[in-house]
Amino acid sequence: MTDSVSIEAVEAAARANNTPGPDHMNCGESVIAALWDAFEPDFPRSVVAMGAGMGAGIGGSGCICGALAGAVAFLGLMVGTKERAKPLAAELHDAFRDGTAKHVTCCRVLTRGMDWWGEERVSQCQYHCSLAAGAAARILCRELGVRAED
């Protein structure tokens, strides 16, 4: 694992990973990949695939934002126990919710009225990927004793 993490770089990577195109990652994958690349954990990068079903609000259901779900999943992998992960996940949830314009975590509400492939929705989801990844990185840096560079 690395000894320092640039929060700004994690946020930028999560945003870039969620750019439409041939190598497009959904929101959950985008966040997990950005966090994995930053923290360099001792488990394989193939864990990014655990985010595959998180897009468009968990399997397209429109429920919890996949970016938040991906961040919570990665956080759990890194801290290892539910006793430790649960309060950190709650902190992450609140930071994400407070950072959204609509003060919610539901994909359906966050994207209401937007064309799914339209620029407005794509830009917003990239922001949410950045928001979730940055909040998770800050928490993980603090909890794991990794220096956060802002």
Side-chain angles (χ1 to χ4, degrees):
M1 186 165 43
T2 188
D3 59 350
S4 69
V5 168
S6 166
I7 304 300
E8 190 174 292
V10 170
E11 292 170 341
R15 182 182 300 269
N17 291 342
N18 196 243
T19 300
D23 296 325
H24 174 77
M25 292 183 186
N26 73 27
C27 45
E29 295 167 314
S30 296
V31 170
I32 295 166
L35 290 166
W36 193 96
D37 291 346
F39 283 91
E40 302 172 352
D42 63 355
F43 47 82
R45 193 175 191 277
S46 61
V47 299
V48 171
M50 76 180 163
M54 295 177 184
I58 308 297
S61 68
C63 290
I64 189 165
C65 173
L68 175 58
V72 169
F74 191 83
L75 186 137
L77 283 171
M78 293 297 286
V79 301
T81 67
K82 63 185 168 204
E83 293 79 18
R84 193 167 174 205
K86 188 174 180 180
L88 300 177
E91 179 184 350
L92 176 57
H93 170 276
D94 292 351
F96 180 85
R97 180 200 60 215
D98 294 347
T100 69
K102 296 180 180 177
H103 203 70
V104 296
T105 61
C106 177
C107 180
R108 184 180 310 113
V109 175
L110 291 167
T111 60
R112 185 170 288 138
M114 296 180 188
D115 171 31
W116 189 255
W117 296 109
E119 187 177 323
E120 178 187 25
R121 201 275 319 153
V122 169
S123 177
Q124 175 184 263
C125 289
Q126 289 174 325
Y127 168 73
H128 291 150
C129 288
S130 174
L131 174 64
R138 282 182 190 85
I139 291 168
L140 286 169
C141 283
R142 182 190 71 221
E143 293 299 311
L144 302 175
V146 173
R147 186 170 38 89
E149 300 172 3
D150 281 315

